Amino acid sequence: MTATALAGCLVLATSCGAAPSAERAASTPLQQPPVVANPATTTPTKGPEPTKPTGNAINVHKVRWTKAKPVSKGMKVQLTWWSGVAPCTVLDRVKVKETAKNVTITLYEGTSPKARNVSCIMIAIEKTTTVKLKKPIGKRKIVDGAK
């Protein structure tokens, strides 16, 4: 048999839909379609992502903040912390307790009810929120209530 005849036979056999040998079929992995999901995405920001409390999170827990900065002539405090991607991680509420010596601020985070059946990427995002005080901060110490 010539090479041309052999090649024609192989093409003919392949185009005829001949089943592969059992040995070849066992060594060939099954082809499955890729798994496609709609992951939560985020765009890079130049600074912390401004965040407001949602008040409806589930599995709420305290979260430590990394920075507290008085703003608006000491009538507000801007907090910065590291968190996850929304809706998987959202700010539920902020608790502020003021005394003559201290201002204790506690952040509470949880998962949004909208996060059901959502795939979440596991990256850290720097977030920020600002809280109002009853009196100017003055010489009072700002304390993290999550410590």
Side-chain angles (χ1 to χ4, degrees):
M1 199 179 253
T2 65
T4 306
L6 181 60
C9 182
L10 287 176
V11 170
L12 180 60
T14 301
S15 64
C16 293
S21 69
E23 181 180 307
R24 188 169 146 216
S27 67
T28 305
L30 296 175
Q31 296 294 325
Q32 295 184 4
V35 176
V36 178
N38 294 326
T41 58
T42 183
T43 54
T45 58
K46 293 185 180 185
E49 179 181 306
T51 306
K52 292 188 179 195
T54 62
N56 65 346
I58 54 177
N59 299 324
V60 176
H61 57 277
K62 294 178 182 179
V63 176
R64 294 175 71 169
W65 41 263
T66 56
K67 186 166 80 171
K69 175 181 157 185
V71 293
S72 298
K73 298 181 182 177
M75 287 301 297
K76 297 179 181 180
V77 176
Q78 182 182 31
L79 300 164
T80 305
W81 74 101
W82 288 97
S83 182
V85 177
C88 299
T89 308
V90 296
L91 180 62
D92 180 67
R93 66 185 183 276
V94 181
K95 181 180 173 187
V96 180
K97 181 182 176 186
E98 296 185 48
T99 65
K101 293 183 179 182
N102 297 320
V103 174
T104 302
I105 305 173
T106 310
L107 299 176
Y108 292 87
E109 283 190 334
T111 303
S112 170
K114 296 177 184 177
R116 291 188 181 149
N117 300 321
V118 173
S119 297
C120 297
I121 57 176
M122 300 296 290
I123 63 169
I125 296 176
E126 193 173 31
K127 295 182 180 179
T128 185
T129 195
T130 303
V131 295
K132 294 178 185 178
L133 303 178
K134 293 177 184 174
K135 297 179 182 179
I137 192 74
K139 295 186 180 194
R140 296 183 291 173
K141 181 179 176 184
I142 303 173
V143 179
D144 188 344
K147 286 187 178 179

